[in-house]
Amino acid sequence: MTGARLLGALHGPADAPGAVNGLSRHDLLGRAAALARELAGAPAVAVHAQPGESTVVAVTAGLLAGVPVVPVPPDAGRLERAHVLTDSGAALMLSDDPAAAGDTGLAVMPVSGSTRTAAVPPEPPPRASALILYTSGTTGPPKGVVLSRAALAAGLDALAEAWQWTADDVLVHGLPLFHVHGLVLGVLGPLRVGSRLVHTGRPGPHAYAAAGGTLYFGVPTIWSRVCAAPDAARRLRSARLLVSGSAPLPVPVFRDLVELTGQAPVERYGMTETLITVSARADGDRRPGQVGLPVRGVRTRIVDEQGAPLPHDGETIGALQVRGATLFDGYLRGGRAEPPPLPGGWYGTGDVATIAADGWHRIVGRASTDLIKSGGYRVGAGEVEDALLHHPAVREAAVIGLPHPDLGEQITAYVVGEPVPPEDLIAFVAERLAAHKRPRQIRFVTDLPRNAMGKVQKARLR
């Protein structure tokens, strides 16, 4: 672990630049350390993860205290909130909203106040649990992913190297503070690296343009909206790096960003259970539709349905597996992390991908929804979606395989855009891809169901 502390840059000089939206590192450390004294010995603490400095103080306090932090989405429904708070074993909720715990009966401890202390608790062991992040699985209630301090440190150090991220950067984003993207990368990253953070509250083209950052994080929906506001997009030309993640960036949006901002975005790949494992580099290629190379300390491979390794030829699609220091400790079971199955040390991501001879990765998508087996062919949904997005009438597209008595699965596209004859879109794709990759059916919809990170929820399309 680089440095003795997970959030090493937080312990800098009192006159260091502001950490978050002008909140100084000295003030953040004093407030968080005082709160940490109240949390010592708790099995876990929940944080009402609203955008703002109170969430940053609360998460920092839990990490200083060595208590696992459980971020709770501020818009969580009653059942989701109750499940997360009960399953995690959280002893209390940190929030300035007295009603943050809903009707669960969990005590709520306020975050804001004038209390400060210079007495910082000793650094917990690297293998101690740091975060419990809940993921929405396709079946059953959300599962608690347990991440250690060592995994967080390894992941952030690898990204700092890949993106040449330093204390001189100013990071800008408006992402939610309860996921890997917005919280781990977007908050803990600056506190480890030493860069300043400007959180815009809500992401938007004009808020991003006004922030004056050198490093910007966004999901594809944000970058699409930035491109739809050309004047705001052009104001990002002074930035050093634009990073896109959490979902595939459509190729047309990639190209629009190049035209408007003068630079190609950096794409990366990861998941809650592995943190970020693959990324383009600040000083390397940026390839539309691809997410780059494994970061330091991570290895990857693709395998067939029997688990046999597949060739890295850029064409063969296989199940993506990863191994390395960024892996989670397991899913929470009975108050402890139950280690995941790791045959040979490899973790199966559930995603399918291709890997080229030079190591570059293209993520096809989830094996359950984005790998379509139609007429004896294996078709990646993302490739078909990108082809559709090149049509001027198409604003958004999501492709899935639906049961078909002859083909096995029928390639079906859900399209948001101007109404055009479906056969025109089918022919448009067939001209650009192999004929067997064309959609057999086009369904026009007013919008696509998405989660908080902008990912299309394809299970709802079914």
Side-chain angles (χ1 to χ4, degrees):
M1 185 184 298
T2 300
R5 299 178 181 272
L6 172 61
L7 307 180
L10 184 60
H11 302 263
D15 59 351
V20 182
N21 291 8
L23 177 67
S24 73
R25 299 181 197 285
H26 182 68
D27 196 30
L28 172 57
L29 183 60
R31 290 174 58 183
L35 186 57
R37 291 190 304 182
E38 306 297 321
L39 306 179
V45 294
V47 172
H48 189 218
Q50 293 180 312
E53 69 178 46
S54 65
T55 294
V56 177
V57 172
V59 171
T60 303
L63 294 175
L64 290 177
V67 174
V69 174
V70 186
V72 180
D75 60 350
R78 181 175 62 86
L79 294 179
E80 179 186 2
R81 182 188 298 110
H83 168 72
V84 169
L85 295 180
T86 302
D87 185 71
S88 66
L92 52 87
M93 170 79 85
L94 299 179
S95 176
D96 289 329
D97 179 358
D103 56 3
T104 63
L106 194 68
V108 178
M109 177 182 290
V111 177
S112 298
S114 57
T115 305
R116 306 286 191 278
T117 183
V120 179
E123 180 74 4
R127 293 308 317 173
S129 299
L131 296 175
I132 304 174
L133 302 180
Y134 278 79
T135 67
S136 296
T138 55
T139 60
K143 296 179 291 185
V145 175
V146 183
L147 293 162
S148 71
R149 303 174 75 88
L152 297 180
L156 293 173
D157 289 346
L159 291 181
E161 177 182 273
W163 298 343
Q164 299 178 355
W165 186 359
T166 72
D168 293 328
D169 279 307
V170 177
L171 171 62
V172 177
H173 73 85
L175 299 167
L177 301 184
F178 49 87
H179 284 306
V180 166
H181 199 167
L183 178 59
V184 177
L185 276 62
V187 174
L188 305 189
L191 295 182
R192 183 164 179 80
V193 172
S195 62
R196 288 185 290 146
L197 168 63
V198 176
H199 193 277
T200 60
R202 294 178 63 87
H206 299 290
Y208 273 33
T214 63
L215 179 61
Y216 286 79
F217 290 169
V219 299
T221 301
I222 295 173
W223 295 124
S224 178
R225 292 173 181 172
V226 166
C227 291
D231 289 343
R234 292 187 186 100
R235 293 177 64 185
L236 302 183
R237 282 181 170 267
S238 60
R240 186 179 64 80
L241 215 61
L242 310 179
V243 180
S244 182
S246 296
L249 183 68
V251 171
V253 177
F254 183 104
R255 291 174 176 160
D256 287 346
L257 279 172
V258 173
E259 180 180 349
L260 291 167
T261 69
Q263 62 172 293
V266 161
E267 294 190 69
R268 82 322 181 265
Y269 165 79
M271 55 194 306
T272 306
E273 291 87 343
T274 67
L275 301 179
I276 307 307
T277 52
V278 180
S279 179
R281 302 302 198 263
D283 58 356
D285 290 344
R286 323 275 174 84
R287 303 178 187 177
Q290 300 185 52
V291 293
L293 304 160
V295 299
R296 175 166 53 86
V298 171
R299 292 176 59 195
T300 62
R301 69 176 185 178
I302 51 175
V303 299
D304 63 18
E305 293 173 351
Q306 287 72 46
L310 291 169
H312 293 185
D313 57 13
E315 296 293 336
T316 303
I317 296 175
L320 180 64
Q321 297 182 336
V322 303
R323 63 186 299 178
T326 65
L327 292 185
F328 72 132
D329 287 341
Y331 295 111
L332 195 66
R333 297 282 189 276
R336 299 184 64 182
E338 183 177 291
L342 297 173
W346 293 99
Y347 175 72
T349 64
D351 288 323
V352 286
T354 67
I355 303 178
D358 63 0
W360 270 72
H361 290 54
R362 178 173 66 86
I363 306 300
V364 173
R366 297 300 291 172
S368 57
T369 57
D370 293 309
L371 180 61
I372 304 170
K373 299 176 182 178
S374 181
Y377 294 99
R378 293 157 65 91
V379 179
E383 187 178 17
V384 183
E385 290 162 358
D386 280 338
L388 283 165
L389 288 169
H390 282 284
H391 194 286
V394 176
R395 293 196 300 274
E396 298 179 75
V399 171
I400 62 173
L402 294 180
H404 189 275
D406 178 47
L407 298 171
E409 287 186 303
Q410 173 179 267
I411 301 174
T412 303
Y414 292 79
V415 171
V416 179
E418 301 300 323
V420 295
E423 55 271 21
D424 287 2
L425 293 182
I426 293 172
F428 183 82
V429 174
E431 291 173 358
R432 286 156 177 79
L433 303 177
H436 67 266
K437 296 180 180 180
R438 71 189 186 282
R440 302 291 181 132
Q441 188 178 52
I442 303 289
R443 298 183 180 183
F444 288 97
V445 293
T446 55
D447 54 45
L448 298 175
R450 297 180 182 272
N451 64 15
M453 296 304 292
K455 295 182 180 178
V456 176
Q457 297 176 299
K458 291 190 175 182
R460 293 176 58 185
L461 291 176
R462 296 179 183 276

